[in-house]
Amino acid sequence: MLAFEEQVVSDLVEDPNGGLVVLSSGFPLASLAAALLLQLHLHPPPGDATGGGCLLVLSAPDPLKARIRRRLQDRLQVHDVPPDLPAQQRASLYASGAALFLSPRALAADLLTSRLHPSHVRALLLLSAHRSSDTSSDAFIARLLRQRRLLPVYAFSDRPHAMVAGFSKAERAMKSLYIRRLHLWPRFHVLAAADLERAPPDVVDVRVPMTPAMRGIQAAVLAAMDACLKELRRTNKVDVEDLTVDKGLFKSFDEIVRRQLDPIWHTLGKKTKQLVADLRTLRKLLDYLVRPTCRYDAVTYLKYLDTLRVSEGVRSVWILADSSHKIFELAKRRVYQVVRADGMRVSTDNKGTPTKKMKVVHNSTENEGSTADKHNTQKVIADVGIVLDEVLEEAPKWKVLRELLQEIAEEQMKGDRENAQDEDESGIVLVTCKDELTCFQLQECISKDPHKDGRCIGPTLANEPDPLLCQNSITRKAGGKKAPEKEMQVIVDMREFMSSLPNVLHQKGRDHGTLLQDPSSSHRVLAR
């Protein structure tokens, strides 16, 4: 372990109440969780008189579970408790005092049925503290445990940007989890910076250039945003001095505009609200164009524009601007071009479109192929003598990536000849992808080269599904009065434990509830 990792673990175990650790993105969350589990297993907290009990780990995705097990190896075995595991087997795992990976749904049900007593729990670990709120499942479980016994709750989050979203997000998360101490570990922390600078990696910044059509679309979108900002200035409802076109490339652009207009949003007219929506749409167009994402290649980008033309063409303001025609024209030029039989190109904008309707088959999978056969497929319309030439402009990042891989391969071959290194110790190139879709498309792109082989290794944390929250979690019985001598009974389907309904009921005083099994159905009910 690194020095700052040891300090994080020691700071946590010193406090019997636990703590919330917010790490900078990229810090070893799995290593910290594994070290904390091993520390709690070998050295129980000072406030733990029994010295036993199970260690509960919540909200850990499968890739993170695999990394934690790899860190622990044979020193500590962590069992996975799926929700469909029989109740008797879950009870035996609780009694064994082992470390367990659980889902919040199964753990909440076991705590309500007293299948797991809080006295048999040594500590609770939460690995997605940025998702904790007053109505979340993690807060519900922390409340069930802390009401009967003071046990430590250790919460981790490696997404600091999510902890500052909204009003006092970190404070509300700590309050819901009954945590008093907050541990912040940014990259510029003294201990963390010293460990990171001890062996700094060699970083080469490679800028991916845009094609001429992409640069034209970017300029046209920025011109449309400038026109929308000029219209907002006329309303005198928003301070647009700090809002420039250059800031339109950042996601905070929409938040700044909306934050200024939120107090007076109900007093704004339809045109002003539409201008704000247009600015958000234009920023998305820039994001999908500039960001190196595989979800919006040339064909998909044109389809998205056509969808916007149909859905927002009536009320949108930016589509009526002069620059919007250039956006659509250049987007079409990235996919296909219309030429005559003699080779002269025909304009594809609204003013120069031929009267003969022509349909072009778009195939997004062909857009990532080689550029050698771009002009092989041509559709000739003999009636008017027009040829539709498919362009299918490739994403620039794939070309840059192939050049980098070729350069790496040449350097490796040169090094093998000079140093006579073993082939097993070289030749592996790791390309990090944002999501699973990009990983699979990268594998397809690399496999088209007969001299290279690519393999996608598992999903990423970006595919981790968000917890399902039910907004309408409380319903009321309209009409009539409840007899004072009768005791109210609230029936909750077991499937509702995926929502915030049991948590809200528990907050309203239903803290002495039990789970009852209806013999005539497979549903379980929560009753007082």
Side-chain angles (χ1 to χ4, degrees), residues 496-513:
E496 293 292 338
F497 275 79
M498 300 178 64
S499 67
S500 59
L501 176 58
N503 190 0
V504 174
L505 291 176
H506 190 268
Q507 288 179 347
K508 297 301 181 181
R510 308 287 173 185
D511 54 347
H512 298 290

Side-chain angles (χ1 to χ4, degrees), residues 431-498:
V431 183
T432 305
C433 301
K434 182 179 181 181
D435 52 16
E436 190 176 2
L437 176 62
T438 309
C439 186
F440 287 140
Q441 292 189 354
L442 173 64
Q443 179 181 356
E444 182 181 357
C445 178
I446 296 177
S447 62
K448 291 182 179 180
D449 191 340
H451 303 287
K452 293 184 177 63
D453 185 20
R455 185 165 61 94
C456 181
I457 306 177
T460 62
L461 292 177
N463 297 324
E464 182 184 353
D466 294 332
L468 300 177
L469 298 179
C470 180
Q471 296 180 356
N472 299 326
S473 57
I474 305 178
T475 59
R476 63 182 180 88
K477 185 177 180 180
K481 274 189 176 181
K482 180 176 68 70
E485 66 276 4
K486 291 184 179 179
E487 186 177 5
M488 180 182 293
Q489 185 180 26
V490 182
I491 300 176
V492 180
D493 194 304
M494 183 62 183
R495 292 168 292 186
E496 293 292 338
F497 275 79
M498 300 178 64

Side-chain angles (χ1 to χ4, degrees), residues 370-379 387-391:
S370 176
T371 58
D373 56 350
K374 283 184 178 179
H375 303 283
N376 292 342
T377 305
Q378 295 181 345
K379 297 182 171 68
V387 178
L388 295 184
D389 190 5
E390 293 184 355
V391 178

Side-chain angles (χ1 to χ4, degrees), residues 1 5 28-35 38 64-76:
M1 290 180 61
E5 295 179 347
L29 177 59
S31 177
L32 291 173
L38 190 61
L64 187 57
K65 293 178 183 178
R67 290 198 294 269
I68 292 176
R69 289 193 177 100
R70 196 181 306 117
R71 293 280 184 177
L72 292 173
Q73 294 180 356
D74 298 334
R75 293 176 291 179
L76 176 62

Side-chain angles (χ1 to χ4, degrees), residues 150-399:
L150 179 62
L151 56 84
V153 176
Y154 304 102
F156 294 88
S157 176
D158 58 350
R159 300 183 186 180
H161 59 278
M163 296 300 296
V164 297
F167 181 74
S168 62
K169 169 69 175 179
E171 181 180 355
R172 288 187 286 111
M174 294 173 62
K175 184 178 179 181
S176 62
L177 298 176
Y178 299 90
I179 295 177
R180 299 176 183 176
R181 293 187 62 183
L182 175 63
H183 306 272
L184 299 178
W185 286 89
R187 293 183 182 275
F188 52 84
H189 194 280
V190 177
L191 294 178
D195 290 333
L196 293 176
E197 293 174 358
R198 189 175 304 168
D202 297 332
V203 180
V204 179
D205 188 7
V206 179
R207 302 296 177 92
V208 180
M210 292 191 298
T211 62
M214 294 175 65
R215 289 194 295 267
I217 294 176
Q218 185 185 37
V221 173
L222 292 176
M225 293 183 69
D226 190 19
C228 292
L229 287 175
K230 290 180 180 179
E231 290 292 331
L232 275 179
R233 290 189 182 97
R234 298 177 183 178
T235 60
N236 296 325
K237 296 290 187 180
V238 59
D239 183 15
V240 292
E241 296 298 331
D242 296 336
L243 298 179
T244 59
V245 178
D246 297 337
K247 294 183 179 180
L249 296 173
F250 302 98
K251 292 184 177 181
S252 59
F253 185 79
D254 303 334
E255 298 177 0
I256 295 174
V257 177
R258 188 58 188 264
R259 193 181 302 117
Q260 293 185 16
L261 295 178
D262 270 342
I264 57 172
W265 186 258
H266 61 285
T267 63
L268 299 179
K270 293 183 179 180
K271 184 177 181 181
T272 305
K273 293 181 179 180
Q274 184 59 43
L275 287 172
V276 176
D278 289 346
L279 287 174
R280 182 169 58 252
T281 302
L282 291 171
R283 192 200 57 77
K284 287 182 179 180
L285 289 177
L286 283 177
D287 188 34
Y288 298 157
L289 178 69
V290 178
R291 295 295 179 91
T293 174
C294 295
R295 297 181 184 274
Y296 288 90
D297 51 18
V299 178
T300 312
Y301 193 80
L302 178 59
K303 289 183 178 180
Y304 180 67
L305 284 173
D306 293 337
T307 303
L308 291 178
R309 191 204 298 267
V310 175
S311 60
E312 301 183 4
V314 179
R315 61 182 183 275
S316 181
V317 179
W318 72 271
I319 290 184
L320 302 178
D322 296 335
S323 57
S324 65
H325 301 288
K326 189 176 181 180
I327 297 174
F328 285 92
E329 179 183 358
L330 293 175
K332 293 176 183 178
R333 194 179 300 175
R334 296 177 64 198
V335 180
Y336 64 90
Q337 61 180 357
V338 182
V339 297
R340 296 180 182 176
D342 55 359
M344 183 178 297
R345 190 176 63 85
V346 180
S347 178
T348 57
D349 58 356
N350 295 335
K351 298 180 181 179
T353 302
T355 56
K356 180 73 175 180
K357 292 184 178 180
M358 298 172 293
K359 297 182 178 179
V360 181
V361 179
H362 297 164
N363 189 353
S364 60
T365 58
E366 297 177 359
N367 193 28
E368 295 129 11
S370 176
T371 58
D373 56 350
K374 283 184 178 179
H375 303 283
N376 292 342
T377 305
Q378 295 181 345
K379 297 182 171 68
V380 180
I381 303 178
D383 297 340
V384 292
I386 292 179
V387 178
L388 295 184
D389 190 5
E390 293 184 355
V391 178
L392 298 179
E393 182 181 87
E394 184 186 27
K397 70 170 185 176
W398 295 125
K399 180 181 178 181

